[in-house]
């Protein structure tokens, strides 16, 4: 069977074609249209701008990807579309488009949870079958969570952020430091040239005894330290980036390590936009090596929002005959990942 994936949950318009044969999932092609240039002047995602870009891009992209593979809609057996969570007005474009296409072509539609897509993206990246049980660390612009996946289609969120998501904290700190949007990649680049010991930023909730995260205090500490600085040079900014990034990574690695030991899992995965951060992936990989745990990161192509991961999750659901947990003909902007558990 062939799956057409559609993702429009935030500010990337993306489509994918994935073929699912008896024993393998093969990504045939995928396209991502980033809207970065349209949002950069505003220093963040503007919902109306995102909606309009999705409306403009989506249909031609579906056309383009089918043509690039010498295919037509007749070769598609299933349309997989992100149903939530995400920006309501963005989700609506992809979801309505998918429903319209399905009506016109009699292809069925499967609504996929965006976080489930991220959760599977390390396996897509490594072209290997999902491993169970595993622990999944998902760090993106909108979410930070530790998910215990004991068996297929069983998600237990053991920790999440109480305030800012990791990507959000990177973006906000970058803004404070006057760096370009989106801040994450810029902070990482600067951090490589900086001294991560110069500023003693808090490791919030590292010893809280649970797996909850909190990043807004760290952001405030950066603001105060910056206000106290007489002269801010390029090298000061590099040191701020390095010290901030180190504080975030220490907490993520520390909490993840505790969860690995307490659950006794032998596989850790990392996904979401922030998994592009090499310093974070390296630190987690090091910790896993010391704990004799297999580490699976996500390649940048599948870290940030993309439709390949949505098509992949849908193909696995089809294979296992586990239908979508959200059958409504509506988007679900707050759809929780654990509500997708089938067990
Ligand atoms: O998964 P994603 O594309 O969108 C959401 O679903 O949120 O994640 C985007 C986030 C942004 O906050 C961006 O700054 C962050 O991922 N990001 C990074 C890096 N690359 C992207 N954060 C830290 N270091 C990076 N290299
Ligand atoms: Zn995402």
């Amino acid at each position: 069977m062939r799956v057409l994936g559609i993702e429009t949950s935030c500010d990337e318009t993306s489509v994918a074609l994935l073929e699912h044969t008896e024993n393998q999932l093969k990504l045939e092609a995928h396209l991502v249209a980033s809207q970065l240039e349209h949002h950069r002047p505003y220093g963040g995602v503007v919902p109306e701008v995102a909606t309009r870009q999705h409306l403009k891009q989506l249909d031609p992209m579906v056309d383009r990807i089918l043509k690039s593979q010498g295919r037509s809609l007749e070769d598609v057996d299933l349309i997989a579309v992100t149903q939530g969570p995400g920006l309501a007005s963005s989700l609506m474009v992809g979801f309505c488009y998918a429903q319209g296409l399905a009506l016109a072509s009699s292809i069925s539609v499967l609504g996929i949870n965006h976080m489930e897509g991220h959760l599977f993206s390390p396996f897509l990246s490594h072209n290997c079958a999902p491993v169970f049980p595993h622990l999944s660390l998902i760090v993106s612009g909108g979410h930070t969570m530790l998910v215990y996946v004991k068996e297929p289609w069983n998600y237990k969120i053991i920790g999440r952020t109480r305030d800012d998501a990791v990507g959000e904290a990177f973006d906000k700190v970058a803004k404070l430091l006057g760096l370009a949007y989106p801040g994450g990649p810029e902070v990482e680049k600067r951090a490589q040239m900086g001294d991560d010991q110069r500023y003693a930023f808090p490791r919030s909730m590292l010893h809280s005894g649970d797996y909850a995260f909190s990043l807004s205090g760290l952001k405030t500490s950066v603001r105060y330290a910056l206000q106290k600085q007489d002269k801010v040079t390029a090298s000061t900014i590099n040191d701020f980036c390095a010290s901030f990034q180190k504080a975030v990574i220490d907490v993520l690695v520390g909490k993840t390590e505790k969860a690995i030991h307490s659950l006794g899992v032998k596989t850790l995965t990392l996904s979401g936009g922030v998994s592009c951060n090499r310093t974070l992936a390296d630190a987690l990989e090091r910790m896993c090596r010391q704990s004799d745990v297999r580490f699976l990161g996500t390649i940048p192509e599948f870290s940030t929002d993309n439709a390949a991961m949505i098509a992949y999750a849908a193909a696995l659901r089809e294979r296992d005959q586990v239908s979508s947990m959200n059958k409504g003909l509506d988007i679900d902007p707050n759809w929780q990942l654990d509500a997708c558990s089938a067990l």
Side-chain angles (χ1 to χ4, degrees):
M1 76 173 309
R2 182 166 290 99
V3 184
L4 169 67
I6 296 176
E7 153 68 39
T8 66
S9 70
C10 189
D11 60 340
E12 334 264 7
T13 319
S14 179
V15 296
L17 274 182
L18 184 141
E19 194 192 15
H20 179 197
T21 56
E22 204 144 299
N23 45 19
Q24 78 163 338
L25 299 177
K26 184 171 161 265
L27 181 66
E28 295 178 321
H30 81 127
L31 299 173
V32 181
S34 170
Q35 303 179 359
L36 259 181
E37 294 313 317
H38 299 274
H39 298 286
R40 187 170 278 132
Y42 305 98
V45 177
V46 181
E48 187 186 328
V49 173
T51 307
R52 292 182 154 186
Q53 284 303 315
H54 288 314
L55 278 170
K56 211 155 94 178
Q57 301 274 1
L58 185 53
D59 188 48
M61 283 174 79
V62 168
D63 221 41
R64 192 145 38 99
I65 198 165
L66 286 170
K67 284 207 178 107
S68 76
Q69 300 303 302
R71 304 273 178 207
S72 73
L73 273 179
E74 281 174 14
D75 302 309
V76 174
D77 305 289
L78 178 71
I79 300 169
V81 63
T82 306
Q83 194 169 2
L87 266 179
S89 48
S90 285
L91 286 166
M92 211 117 61
V93 178
F95 197 70
C96 292
Y97 180 87
Q99 298 293 353
L101 204 58
L103 257 178
S105 57
S106 304
I107 306 171
S108 47
V109 183
L110 191 59
I112 293 293
N113 182 294
H114 180 78
M115 304 317 290
E116 186 172 78
H118 277 307
L119 184 131
F120 280 123
S121 59
F123 303 107
L124 171 66
S125 297
H126 292 268
N127 202 15
C128 69
V131 181
F132 305 98
H134 74 259
L135 180 69
S136 171
L137 175 62
I138 310 177
V139 276
S140 71
H143 296 86
T144 299
M145 52 171 117
L146 266 173
V147 190
Y148 177 39
V149 193
K150 193 172 164 205
E151 55 206 321
W153 317 112
N154 183 353
Y155 306 123
K156 189 163 179 225
I157 301 173
I158 61 167
R160 61 175 96 221
T161 182
R162 294 201 172 155
D163 36 61
D164 294 346
V166 177
E168 190 181 356
F170 268 87
D171 294 341
K172 285 179 175 171
V173 163
K175 206 168 193 175
L176 281 175
L177 297 170
L179 303 178
Y181 173 83
E186 200 60 29
V187 169
E188 183 181 22
K189 207 160 70 193
R190 299 291 195 123
Q192 276 157 5
M193 302 179 279
D195 172 6
D196 64 11
Q197 304 293 318
R198 175 151 172 208
Y199 299 100
F201 293 133
R203 270 60 176 162
S204 308
M205 298 186 69
L206 182 55
H207 303 293
S208 60
D210 56 18
Y211 303 116
F213 300 95
S214 168
L215 288 159
S216 69
L218 171 58
K219 179 190 61 198
T220 311
S221 300
V222 173
R223 178 184 291 125
Y224 287 152
L226 191 62
Q227 280 166 0
K228 277 200 223 142
Q229 207 68 43
D230 300 329
K231 201 165 152 241
V232 179
T233 63
S235 125
T236 321
I237 292 184
N238 296 346
D239 295 344
F240 265 101
C241 290
S243 303
F244 160 76
Q245 182 175 272
K246 180 81 168 68
V248 175
I249 292 177
D250 281 355
V251 177
L252 289 174
V253 173
K255 295 235 171 190
T256 306
E257 186 174 15
K258 275 187 199 144
I260 281 176
H261 291 145
S262 125
L263 295 164
V265 289
K266 286 285 163 205
T267 304
L268 171 72
T269 64
L270 172 70
S271 63
V274 186
S275 63
C276 289
N277 189 296
R278 219 35 265 169
T279 323
L280 169 64
D282 288 347
L284 286 166
E285 190 161 24
R286 233 177 359 259
M287 177 272 286
C288 283
R289 212 176 307 121
Q290 283 157 7
S291 308
D292 200 19
V293 164
R294 182 180 182 199
F295 174 74
L296 290 175
T298 303
I299 60 171
E301 195 177 348
F302 301 132
S303 289
T304 47
D305 293 345
N306 65 88
M309 67 184 192
I310 302 302
Y312 186 88
L316 290 178
R317 280 191 172 266
E318 274 293 297
R319 185 199 64 187
D320 291 357
Q321 296 286 292
V322 180
S323 68
S324 169
M325 294 296 117
N326 203 334
K327 298 206 178 65
L329 265 180
D330 193 4
I331 53 158
D332 191 346
N334 297 310
W335 192 9
Q336 298 296 311
L337 176 61
D338 43 2
C340 299
S341 289
L343 299 169

